[in-house]
Amino acid sequence: MGYKKTETYDEKTTSGLMKTYGEALKWLGEDPEREGLQKTPERLAKAMQYMMQGYDQDAHVILNSAKFHEPISEMILVKDIEVYSMCEHHILPFFGKAHIAYIPNGWITGLSKVARVVDVYARRLQVQERLTLQIMNAIKETLNPLGVAVVIEAQHLCMMMRGVQKQNSVTTTSAFDGEFHKNPTRSEFLKLISANLSR
Ligand SMILES: [Zn+2]
């Protein structure tokens, strides 16, 4: 047997959400029985459970599952990690990139785990500021590094499609800890994330 990916959804949650979304369609002036919409409440119920799966995940467990002793103390930077999250004020997506750096203090983690930590917190209802801080704290608490830095650049659909309708504005949030409070370290990090090594 080859690789097979399966998805499971909680039945009670799915049926509860389906009912609510069916009602919402009516309130929005739609006919939930018309052909194109018949399966929409179910699809949306499942999509929302997927996008909110972070509530059932623990970033600390993920980071600890690949924690290795390594006597290095140079900056480790993972940049351009894709971020897809939902703003808690409008339940509309915000998306962009995260750049995460830390300076180990005897312990490192798998690079893919750093990216997974982003998803754990992004797949919840969020504000970008809290998302940035939660990522930093999870790395700080599990690896106890000499410093952590997190920068997120994102575009918010609630700003682009409604309200002020600013199509091209990008919100940048940052969180720094330890060594990154010092100017030279922070400058090096900011220089690295703005450099484009691949071009
Ligand atoms: Zn919003």
Side-chain angles (χ1 to χ4, degrees), residues 7 16 19 47 51 67 78 88 100 128 169 183 191 197:
E7 288 185 321
K19 207 169 153 244
M51 292 184 286
K67 192 171 156 182
V78 187
E88 69 184 15
I100 301 171
Q128 188 180 328
S169 72
N183 247 330
K191 206 171 92 188
L197 299 175

Side-chain angles (χ1 to χ4, degrees), residues 62-82:
I62 290 167
L63 287 168
N64 278 321
S65 73
K67 192 171 156 182
F68 311 104
H69 190 67
E70 201 61 62
I72 55 165
S73 54
E74 297 299 320
M75 186 189 304
I76 295 170
L77 167 66
V78 187
K79 65 179 222 178
D80 296 331
I81 302 167
E82 285 170 62

Side-chain angles (χ1 to χ4, degrees), residues 2 9 33 40 49 51 99 108 115 127 137 158 196 199:
Y9 297 92
E33 297 305 319
T40 296
Q49 285 177 81
M51 292 184 286
H99 315 289
I108 60 166
V127 295
N137 285 336
C158 62
N196 226 325
R199 278 182 205 164

